[in-house]
Amino acid sequence: MRSSILQRKLACRMTLRLSAPMTEPRYTPLAKSLPATVPFVGPETQERQRGAPFVARLGANESVFGPSPHAIAAMAETGIWMYGDPENHDLRAALADHHGIGPENIVVGEGIDGLLGYLVRLLVGSGDAVVTSDGAYPTFNYHVTGFGGTLHKVPYRDDHEDPAALFAKAGEVDAKLVYLANPDNPMGSWHSGADIVAALDDLPDGCLLVLDEAYVECAPEGTAAPVAADDPRVIRMRTFSKVYGMAGARVGYAIGAPGLISAFNKVRNHFGMNRAAQAGALAALNDAEWLNHVQTKIAEARDRIGHIARENGLAPLPSATNFVAIDCGKDGAFAKAVLDSLVAQGIFVRMPFAAPQNRCLRVSCGEAADLDAFATALPKALAEAGR
Amino acid sequence: MRSSILQRKLACRMTLRLSAPMTEPRYTPLAKSLPATVPFVGPETQERQRGAPFVARLGANESVFGPSPHAIAAMAETGIWMYGDPENHDLRAALADHHGIGPENIVVGEGIDGLLGYLVRLLVGSGDAVVTSDGAYPTFNYHVTGFGGTLHKVPYRDDHEDPAALFAKAGEVDAKLVYLANPDNPMGSWHSGADIVAALDDLPDGCLLVLDEAYVECAPEGTAAPVAADDPRVIRMRTFSKVYGMAGARVGYAIGAPGLISAFNKVRNHFGMNRAAQAGALAALNDAEWLNHVQTKIAEARDRIGHIARENGLAPLPSATNFVAIDCGKDGAFAKAVLDSLVAQGIFVRMPFAAPQNRCLRVSCGEAADLDAFATALPKALAEAGR
């Protein structure tokens, strides 16, 4: 029987050889079905398109205030010829200390983006249901689609993500995973951590909540959800890309129950972490003074962005993040026209993808010079957009 | 009908609520089946276990000679607060120039490990056949298993990977992917590029060759396979982790036909690259003088390792890499005993996983002091192993 299978294979192969050579590898059906679109266009691409660098880089919610000087020193001192520690031992130990939890509750990865990819891969197969908000983080959606999952979206409610609606939808569609960012990106809105915990009562059994707290260090006291690290219902995502000012280093971490955390070891790129980034994150975590400094700078910049918006007759939304959503008062087409003019004037900003949030611009916190440039460009942008 | 489905779901949910709460997320069947083993234990783990740092780090084929000073400067100068360019535009353009090919032939990723993961994900689904050599790169095998593929292995032939046998096996099992490292890790052996190209005649249609050339910059002229970048049968892997001395930076790239290269955009972590690493790799690529310097150091160190081996009555294998496999002259258990003693003495080395290659130690090139330490430790290790 084996030889008959071989014969069939050989016959098949001969047929192939007689026809034109195959020019494409044999992708999986899923891979073949995926679009080659990217979740975000990078500002460098836009710079190449416009033929000039941006004057102010306020579109990606990076921290222009930069990382702790100790982090910069630690990165420079790292022997980059060595692979990083695949266990991320020292960083996980420090994070465990910082949060008063165990290292077995923490997995470190290549940014939240990388960790979301691993998480989706662990849970989501072809046709599995996943719930998120319409207009929430596109990279999460990219991963869900990329592993064959089916996305179900609920609308924002008054520019806030809506835990009750998300969890109800999760029950309805039997979701394995539900995504909630608190504070929210792109709107900057937030719920108290206590409200998130209360809402968990309605999270369906068998549905894991991905609670993305990327911006929580910019938020008022009490925004971080007081969820036990061992709570099997929730996995929390944190990052060094925002307040810690290390977006280019790619260091994120997830907090969750030990079983789930150790499952990442089945799929993660064990030697995927940059060794300097590991050292930098560790140093950044230990510099509470710099964190305070940046938090102050963020609060000042948020106020200034709000002031600029109001000066131009626009309404800034309250923000618990390092950016401010500015309501341009009309529809998405109008906001897009404003954005296009800002970009043409060298101001890199972004905007929400989905209506009605796409009536807004999203402007990241910047230094005074960045915001001066934004303040100068905005009136012209509004005029060009035909207000 | 919709409401009856809902009622059943609610009923089911109530049942669940009455029973104990689910403590595990609903993993995919594949994820559930995977072991939580890691491809490699890191030297830092061994250092923690032994309670002391290694004296010589010669186990991971890193380059103790370090990266170009220009690369170090470029990394230090990078504004790490910014995300990296998701297109890796400048690095890809420079690599295209370097190789005389188009940027559309190049994808940059988080080390070859990361790129292998993406490649396997694009091609390999449940039960798909993949061919490699028994004892070749475990991280490739990890990815294949991780996406549900079935590995078929062929033996080495005289300590060389065996293209003819690999490609014959690929035809036999209808493999979508076949892995071949040239030069080989862990043996250091190699084929001429011309021989690889000649062997391609027997690569089955519909099977893609992953040609891992991680060590090719250490190899004699003519080892790099003269395959056209547009050749749809082959994807080549290159890295800045070896001769370029930047293992901790995580920069690899793949060269292949534009269709295959662009398919990576469907699954890769677009913002996964460390911005400093991008800049460092670009600077490293432009420093041909440093590359020459390292190539000379590697050649010297290989000679020295060979000399130490022979002084101890062992046989060094010819190497086209930055390491030397040393034949300990007995079986795997003996080599393991030698290795254990070396590790206990503070010398980090590794050894091949599969017989009969596991009669060898694998010793990476090092500075004189590293190799002095190895030379001192080896006689004791051989004695302790009971020679």
Side-chain angles (χ1 to χ4, degrees), chain B residues 189-211:
Chain B
S189 54
W190 71 103
H191 299 280
S192 74
D195 283 352
I196 299 289
V197 169
L200 282 180
D201 283 348
D202 294 320
L203 183 72
D205 289 322
C207 180
L208 180 72
L209 169 63
V210 198
L211 182 59

Side-chain angles (χ1 to χ4, degrees), chain B residues 28-385:
Chain B
T28 66
L30 175 59
K32 211 175 286 184
S33 76
L34 295 174
T37 50
V38 305
F40 292 104
V41 174
E44 292 80 9
T45 304
Q46 293 176 278
E47 289 178 328
R48 287 187 290 270
Q49 284 165 353
R50 60 191 293 274
F54 281 119
V55 176
R57 184 166 163 131
L58 302 173
N61 301 343
E62 299 155 328
S63 183
V64 305
F65 313 115
S68 156
H70 296 297
I72 294 175
M75 288 187 273
E77 282 159 21
T78 301
I80 203 74
W81 63 272
M82 291 178 275
Y83 288 104
D85 172 14
E87 293 193 45
N88 297 289
H89 176 274
D90 296 351
L91 180 55
R92 281 169 62 226
L95 286 166
D97 234 40
H98 180 78
H99 290 290
I101 58 179
E104 71 277 8
N105 293 117
I106 298 171
V107 57
V108 169
E110 306 90 335
I112 290 179
D113 285 2
L115 290 166
L116 287 175
Y118 296 135
L119 178 67
V120 170
R121 180 175 162 195
L122 284 171
L123 268 71
V124 178
S126 181
D128 284 340
V130 176
V131 171
T132 187
S133 302
D134 189 18
Y137 197 45
T139 303
F140 176 73
N141 300 355
Y142 166 78
H143 290 309
V144 172
T145 306
F147 286 102
T150 302
L151 278 165
H152 301 268
K153 299 179 182 176
V154 305
Y156 278 61
R157 183 189 178 96
D158 299 331
D159 296 325
H160 287 65
E161 291 199 53
D162 186 346
L166 286 163
F167 300 169
K169 174 64 80 175
E172 188 190 318
V173 301
D174 192 24
K176 283 179 152 185
L177 205 55
V178 56
Y179 176 90
L180 169 62
N182 189 51
D184 173 65
N185 173 23
M187 301 310 284
S189 54
W190 71 103
H191 299 280
S192 74
D195 283 352
I196 299 289
V197 169
L200 282 180
D201 283 348
D202 294 320
L203 183 72
D205 289 322
C207 180
L208 180 72
L209 169 63
V210 198
L211 182 59
D212 186 341
E213 297 186 327
Y215 295 96
V216 81
E217 295 93 352
C218 321
E221 194 81 18
T223 304
V227 178
D230 284 344
D231 192 324
R233 300 172 298 175
V234 183
I235 185 165
R236 274 177 294 167
M237 297 286 170
R238 298 290 187 95
T239 184
F240 286 88
S241 297
K242 302 303 173 186
V243 182
Y244 288 103
M246 292 175 54
R250 314 314 300 126
V251 188
Y253 60 104
I255 301 174
L260 173 57
I261 292 300
S262 73
F264 280 79
N265 285 327
K266 297 178 166 192
V267 298
R268 72 189 179 91
N269 187 2
H270 292 268
F271 287 86
M273 291 299 295
N274 180 294
R275 190 177 182 94
Q278 292 174 323
L282 184 57
L285 188 69
N286 289 328
D287 191 349
E289 200 181 324
W290 185 260
L291 185 70
N292 272 329
H293 162 73
V294 173
Q295 286 167 328
T296 305
K297 298 283 273 183
I298 286 172
E300 289 169 3
R302 279 194 308 231
D303 286 350
R304 174 88 197 280
I305 295 169
H307 183 72
I308 295 167
R310 278 186 295 263
E311 271 187 336
N312 286 273
L314 307 180
L317 273 60
S319 168
T321 63
N322 70 348
F323 61 86
V324 177
I326 297 176
D327 186 340
C328 293
K330 298 192 179 181
D331 64 2
F334 177 73
K336 177 68 166 52
V338 178
L339 181 137
D340 286 345
S341 171
L342 288 170
V343 165
Q345 294 180 69
I347 312 296
F348 169 51
V349 292
R350 287 198 177 126
M351 61 184 286
F353 293 96
Q357 295 89 324
N358 66 357
R359 72 192 188 283
C360 297
L361 295 176
R362 197 195 65 179
V363 182
S364 306
C365 290
E367 293 282 11
D370 301 313
L371 300 183
D372 288 348
F374 172 61
T376 303
L378 185 58
K380 186 176 170 201
L382 290 166
E384 285 189 353

Side-chain angles (χ1 to χ4, degrees), chain A residues 58-98:
Chain A
L58 303 172
N61 302 340
E62 299 155 328
S63 185
V64 305
F65 313 115
S68 155
H70 296 296
I72 293 174
M75 287 187 274
E77 282 158 21
T78 301
I80 203 74
W81 63 272
M82 291 179 273
Y83 288 103
D85 173 14
E87 293 193 43
N88 297 290
H89 176 275
D90 297 351
L91 180 55
R92 282 168 61 226
L95 287 167
D97 233 42
H98 181 78

Side-chain angles (χ1 to χ4, degrees), chain A residues 65-70 98 243-244 283-297:
Chain A
F65 313 115
S68 155
H70 296 296
H98 181 78
V243 183
Y244 288 103
L285 187 69
N286 289 330
D287 191 349
E289 201 180 323
W290 185 260
L291 185 69
N292 272 329
H293 162 73
V294 174
Q295 286 167 327
T296 304
K297 298 283 274 183

